[in-house]
């Protein structure tokens, strides 16, 4: 009977990058431990039977049924809502996520979106395509207010990158008493949140999708926002009510929107959001970075060491139990 690997890597990759790169990055950090990549469904089913520490993008019910010895699942995404968390919790499996991996690249994506609307590069690009040399007015980021909904690793990265631009920042989080890197921190409830919406020149959504945040930005929110405000969504599509967003754009309640995520997703070809000149759409691409597997391997390798030394140790980015 073969010895189970110290780390089992499941076959699904992400962002179009071969999963072999992920396995290689973990091996580089754990030269004295065995790291196995299960490259086919059959290999996954066979290897999962006695694996104790497993990492991958997804983990379906079928694999869970076969994972008799599983103690840790290191999810390779920051979000874990797609996992059978209840079943994993029942089994006493520790679950970690990839929180922090996306901070630099999504922070840059948000900054790029804000600067695009500030300097109105989309207008310049349209005129260039039409070969028009015609002056247009722009905006200035300095002195504006940016409200960031969600102060996890991504929200913090956004705030840090905005600091040199001389803007005022307002952070929105579940526990405002924890503070954060923004000039002000408020909660989701009451007048303080509505005030944060009304003051925003740029509203950045970087929060998880929960019962609190689902449909958070709806008609009432768009009416509260300043007509010159721009929405930037790098969270999840359903944080914004799509029909209300379309109405807000048509009615001029906001100046524009940068959407890396949509509801529905992918955005159907016939959807009206494609046709707005003041809407930037990227295909859930803000999370891509060539450094993804390297950053993720840092977290997973460290947790594999901790688990090997003490199976009851607290793990980095642990979300269960």
């Amino acid at each position: 009977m073969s010895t189970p690997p110290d780390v089992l890597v499941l076959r699904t990759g992400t962002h179009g990058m071969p999963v072999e790169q992920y396995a290689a990055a973990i091996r580089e950090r754990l030269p004295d431990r065995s790291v196995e990549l299960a490259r086919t469904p059959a290999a996954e089913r066979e290897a999962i039977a006695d694996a104790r520490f497993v990492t991958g993008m997804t983990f379906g019910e079928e694999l869970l049924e076969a994972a008799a010895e599983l103690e840790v699942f290191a999810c390779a995404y920051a979000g874990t809502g797609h996992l059978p968390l209840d079943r994993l919790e029942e089994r006493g499996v520790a679950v970690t996520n990839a929180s922090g991996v996306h901070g630099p690249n999504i922070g840059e994506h948000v900054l790029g979106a804000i600067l695009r609307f500030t300097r109105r590069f989309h207008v310049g690009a349209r005129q260039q395509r039409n070969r028009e040399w015609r002056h247009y007015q722009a905006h200035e980021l300095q002195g504006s207010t940016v409200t960031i909904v969600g102060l996890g690793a991504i929200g913090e990265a956004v705030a840090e990158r905005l600091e040199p631009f001389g803007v005022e920042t307002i952070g929105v989080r579940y526990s405002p008493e924890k503070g954060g890197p923004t000039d002000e921190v408020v909660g989701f409830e009451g007048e303080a949140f509505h005030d944060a919406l009304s003051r925003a020149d740029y509203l950045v959504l970087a929060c998880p999708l929960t019962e609190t945040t689902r449909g958070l930005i709806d008609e009432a929110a768009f009416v509260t926002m300043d007509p010159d405000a721009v929405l930037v969504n790098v969270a999840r599509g359903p944080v914004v009510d799509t029909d209300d967003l379309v109405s807000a754009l048509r009615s001029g309640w906001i100046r524009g929107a940068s959407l890396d995520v949509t509801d529905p997703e992918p955005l159907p070809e016939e959807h009206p959001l494609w046709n707005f000149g003041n809407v930037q759409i990227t295909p859930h691409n803000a999370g891509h970075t060539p450094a993804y597997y390297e950053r993720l391997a840092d977290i997973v390798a460290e947790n594999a060491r901790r688990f090997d030394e003490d199976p009851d140790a607290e793990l980095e980015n642990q979300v269960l139990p």
Side-chain angles (χ1 to χ4, degrees), residues 28-29 32 49 85 111 124 132 154 168 189 214-215 252 273 311:
E28 184 179 335
R29 289 156 177 78
D32 56 342
L85 293 177
L111 187 58
E132 297 177 10
I154 293 170
E168 179 185 6
E189 307 296 332
R214 184 179 294 275
L273 281 173

Side-chain angles (χ1 to χ4, degrees), residues 32-33 52 301-313:
D32 56 342
R33 291 171 172 82
R52 298 170 63 209
E302 173 58 27
N303 280 339
R305 287 191 199 95
R306 292 185 192 180
F307 175 74
D308 191 43
E309 293 168 4
D310 177 8
D312 296 319

Side-chain angles (χ1 to χ4, degrees), residues 131-189:
R131 301 181 184 185
E132 297 177 10
W133 185 277
R134 182 160 50 89
H135 179 80
Y136 61 89
Q137 294 184 333
H139 302 266
E140 187 171 295
L141 184 55
Q142 180 171 283
S144 63
T145 299
V146 181
T147 295
I148 305 169
V149 181
L151 287 182
I154 293 170
E156 289 188 355
V158 171
E160 289 166 3
R161 282 155 181 74
L162 285 170
E163 189 173 350
F165 287 87
V167 303
E168 179 185 6
T169 53
I170 306 171
V172 181
R173 69 186 315 169
Y174 289 106
S175 304
E177 65 275 6
K178 290 182 179 179
T182 50
D183 297 311
E184 300 176 39
V185 180
V186 302
F188 283 92
E189 307 296 332

